[in-house]
């Protein structure tokens, strides 16, 4: 059974930092690209970042470039999202996802999803 479990969300002031974790089990972690998405109330789920299995190449959405960094720890089958210089507009539920095919910015590309973790940034 595949499981993705996010943690690390919380309440932070604008300008602060949080580090999200996504621990995986039941899948061959080294094969999967790991994506991060977020969903704010009343909005569609949107792409944040993806980290690929070979060499850890990353791609980020424009709103988070230069502020967010995704890393993967193959030994722990875990992916991280380091979020710095947080803004109130970053407030959302953040999800990690695992996928094998191309189309990394698209929700339906991903095969497995975590339950999400709430990030709230106060002004």
């Amino acid at each position: 059974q595949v499981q993705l479990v996010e943690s690390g969300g919380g309440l932070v002031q604008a300008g602060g930092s949080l580090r999200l974790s996504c621990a995986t089990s039941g899948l061959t972690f080294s094969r999967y690209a790991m994506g991060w998405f977020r969903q704010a109330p009343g909005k569609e789920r949107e792409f944040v970042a993806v980290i690929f299995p070979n060499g850890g190449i990353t791609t980020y959405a424009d709103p988070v470039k230069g502020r967010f960094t995704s890393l993967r720890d193959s030994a722990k089958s875990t992916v991280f999202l380091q979020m710095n210089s947080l803004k109130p507009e970053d407030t959302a539920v953040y999800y990690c996802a695992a996928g094998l095919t191309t189309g990394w910015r698209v929700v339906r590309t991903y095969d497995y999803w975590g339950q999400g973790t709430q990030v709230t940034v106060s002004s």
Side-chain angles (χ1 to χ4, degrees):
Q1 181 182 1
V2 175
Q3 286 190 314
L4 280 65
V5 180
E6 298 103 333
S7 60
L11 174 63
V12 64
Q13 289 188 332
S17 298
L18 283 174
R19 191 187 199 203
L20 305 184
S21 299
C22 173
T24 74
S25 60
L27 55 74
T28 305
F29 184 73
S30 62
R31 295 182 59 204
Y32 282 82
M34 299 299 299
W36 289 96
F37 287 75
R38 65 187 182 186
Q39 188 166 17
K43 295 187 177 182
E44 293 187 352
R45 194 169 296 189
E46 65 175 4
F47 170 78
V48 173
V50 62
I51 183 165
F52 296 99
N54 297 322
I57 295 172
T58 52
T59 299
Y60 300 94
D62 286 344
V64 307
K65 279 182 182 177
R67 300 188 298 122
F68 290 12
T69 302
S70 187
L71 302 167
R72 59 193 293 154
D73 184 335
S74 296
K76 297 181 178 179
S77 297
T78 298
V79 63
F80 303 95
L81 186 67
Q82 178 67 43
M83 305 186 296
N84 299 328
S85 302
L86 282 162
K87 305 175 181 180
E89 51 263 43
D90 294 318
T91 295
V93 177
Y94 283 70
Y95 299 88
C96 67
L100 289 174
T101 59
T102 58
W104 309 114
R105 296 175 180 265
V106 178
V107 169
R108 64 176 181 269
T109 291
Y110 293 85
D111 302 306
Y112 305 105
W113 291 83
Q115 82 287 355
T117 186
Q118 177 70 47
V119 171
T120 303
V121 184
S122 62
S123 57

